[in-house]
Amino acid sequence: MVMERNEADSCPGVLRLHQAADGPLARIRIPGGRLEPAQLQALAEAAVELADGSIELTSRGNVQLRQVRDAAALEERLTTAGLLPSTTHERVRNIIASPLSGRVGGWADVHALVPALDTGLRDHPGLAELPGRVLFTLDDGRGDVSGLGGDIGIHAVDDGNFALLLAGKDTGLRVPAAEAVDLMLAAAHAFLALRDGQWRLHEIPDGHDKLTEQLATHPGLTTSPDTVEVTARQDIPVGWLTQADGKVALGAGVRLGSLPARTAEFIAAIEHPVYLTPWRSIVITDLDEWTAEQVVRVLAPMGLIFDAASPWLQVSACAGLPGCAKSHTDIRADAAEAVESGRVIPSGTAQSAHEGLDADEVVAAGRQHWSGCERRCGRPRGHVTDVIATTDGYRIVPSE
Ligand code: SF4
């Protein structure tokens, strides 16, 4: 199917707020999901003083603030915190990297490449024209982020080389680490030259093949007949993770991806780097064992999830009412009630389809996404059961 777009993408940013039903919404790009403690503290203060008091985590490892009351003050604070380093390129900095990379598993430390990619994007004036939907992925070989539907990605195939992925598929091209960022930037330029209004590479007819052919002449590339298989996964890192250097990383789920500012302040006070994951969770890194134990003791009662068996880890939800006027209900309240009353079964056989259900009749097993209408915004990729609010009650569509 040929996809044509006649309008600019409408992705929100800090400088262009989205007018949601509950008020202006700001999306703040966090390349690689990495936040310094002071940046998390700045976000928490902004959430309390300028927005609705929570930090929303997104499926691209970015964050959103809702009901923004003073856009100019927010811009100033985020700029001071280093969270808005460009006014021209803010919406193109969509970069996801394997959250545990360099600390637990994986072939390579892809976080080391994120600043160079971010700077490279910002240094090219022309790349400000990239649609805000374009997504860059850096996978350290474990396969956790390559399946998230990126446009331009690298995937480690050994400790010094990466496969180039375009539109989520292996190109067969292999690039040494030292050339990987330049190749991704070249791919971004080539995408811009090729697009005719499309927002995503997969929307361009034969876009994958055309771009692969153009990039094949890039210096230092080799080819491989071995194809990297890309699958959508829900690799939420949860609980105690021992790093290669003997320190501890703590993976924590966040209920429905909404982090209360007060909890965020406690996390910032630990004074260690935090990574936001594309599964709307966080990883607190580089802790010694004693500190890690104290963190769990303090933050678990505040609602962070350190238990991999928690039903909260199975559930995501769109904005719903009051944030989205299209919603038939307050979907997040219904999803939370389902978890708290034991109607979200962490695992089990897929249930058959149902419809016309009241909220308190919904029982669903395994990974599930609750949507306030048929658009299913924010639905994760892969095997996910849909719980959809309709004019006639809830409908359950089991994962395939
Ligand atoms: S799925 Fe529907 S109700 Fe939910 S955020 Fe999207 S448009 Fe709004």
Side-chain angles (χ1 to χ4, degrees):
M1 184 177 70
V2 177
M3 180 80 74
E4 290 184 5
R5 305 279 196 189
N6 296 318
E7 73 276 25
D9 77 272
S10 56
C11 287
V14 175
L15 304 173
R16 185 169 78 187
L17 304 183
H18 168 63
Q19 298 303 321
D22 58 347
L25 176 150
R27 184 174 300 160
I28 302 143
R29 270 60 182 191
I30 313 291
R34 180 180 169 115
L35 279 173
E36 300 303 326
Q39 293 177 322
L40 184 56
Q41 176 65 26
L43 282 173
E45 290 173 8
V48 170
E49 294 163 25
L50 303 174
D52 75 349
S54 289
I55 301 169
E56 272 188 6
L57 311 185
T58 79
S59 61
R60 290 183 162 194
N62 293 320
V63 300
Q64 297 181 161
L65 299 179
R66 304 193 79 94
Q67 300 177 32
V68 173
R69 294 187 287 278
D70 187 337
L74 180 63
E75 178 185 342
E76 188 181 327
R77 286 186 188 207
L78 296 178
T79 301
T80 302
L83 290 167
L84 188 60
S86 167
T87 55
T88 51
H89 290 63
E90 70 147 325
R91 296 185 315 116
V92 307
R93 304 169 66 229
N94 297 300
I95 303 173
I96 298 178
S98 299
L100 297 178
S101 193
R103 291 183 171 83
V104 184
W107 278 113
D109 181 2
V110 290
H111 288 297
L113 301 177
V114 171
L117 177 59
D118 183 23
T119 305
L121 287 170
R122 288 188 273 122
D123 281 351
H124 288 280
L127 293 181
E129 301 303 317
L130 279 175
R133 312 253 170 153
V134 169
L135 176 63
F136 296 85
T137 58
L138 295 87
D139 194 309
D140 66 5
R142 77 186 73 211
D144 58 347
V145 303
S146 285
L148 296 177
D151 297 86
I152 298 167
I154 54 170
H155 184 114
V157 290
D158 57 36
D159 59 4
N161 295 284
F162 291 91
L164 175 69
L165 310 183
L166 293 175
K169 287 187 294 184
D170 190 0
T171 59
L173 300 176
R174 301 292 179 260
V175 61
E179 291 291 327
V181 168
D182 279 353
L183 181 62
M184 294 180 89
L185 293 169
H189 283 288
F191 165 72
L192 270 185
L194 196 61
R195 76 186 276 260
D196 182 18
Q198 296 92 344
W199 294 340
R200 305 293 307 270
L201 178 53
H202 69 79
E203 296 171 354
I204 300 177
D206 301 322
H208 174 274
D209 294 349
K210 288 176 181 169
L211 223 57
T212 301
E213 192 180 328
Q214 286 185 29
L215 294 168
T217 57
H218 192 86
L221 298 190
T222 56
T223 58
S224 170
D226 301 324
T227 302
V228 172
E229 292 299 332
V230 175
T231 54
R233 289 170 30 185
Q234 302 283 330
D235 269 2
I236 305 177
V238 177
W240 189 283
L241 304 159
T242 302
Q243 300 182 180
D245 61 4
K247 293 179 181 172
V248 176
L250 284 175
V254 176
R255 297 179 182 199
L256 299 181
S258 182
L259 184 65
R262 182 83 179 125
T263 310
E265 287 184 339
F266 271 81
I267 299 169
I270 303 166
E271 297 195 327
H272 284 263
V274 170
Y275 288 84
L276 310 178
T277 82
W279 308 286
R280 298 183 174 94
S281 68
I282 63 170
V283 181
I284 308 164
T285 60
D286 303 340
L287 304 168
D288 61 61
E289 292 196 4
W290 183 88
T291 305
E293 284 171 4
Q294 305 315 308
V295 168
V296 174
R297 193 164 295 163
V298 171
L299 293 180
M302 296 181 77
L304 287 191
I305 316 288
F306 295 101
D307 175 6
S310 169
W312 284 108
L313 299 176
Q314 304 295 336
V315 182
S316 54
C318 77
L321 286 176
C324 177
K326 293 191 177 72
S327 185
H328 296 291
T329 183
D330 184 345
I331 195 84
R332 299 171 69 82
D334 287 352
E337 175 63 24
V339 175
E340 284 164 355
S341 58
R343 288 181 284 108
V344 170
I345 317 299
S347 62
T349 52
Q351 56 285 325
S352 54
H354 294 288
E355 52 190 30
L357 301 173
D358 290 338
D360 61 5
E361 293 175 326
V362 175
V363 180
R367 190 70 190 86
Q368 52 197 266
H369 184 69
W370 291 54
S371 303
C373 79
E374 296 285 353
R375 288 182 65 172
R376 311 183 197 190
C377 299
R379 183 187 192 276
R381 291 174 162 253
H383 297 290
V384 177
T385 290
D386 284 293
V387 181
I388 306 164
T390 73
T391 47
D392 300 318
Y394 273 98
R395 186 160 65 90
I396 298 177
V397 182
S399 62
E400 293 172 357

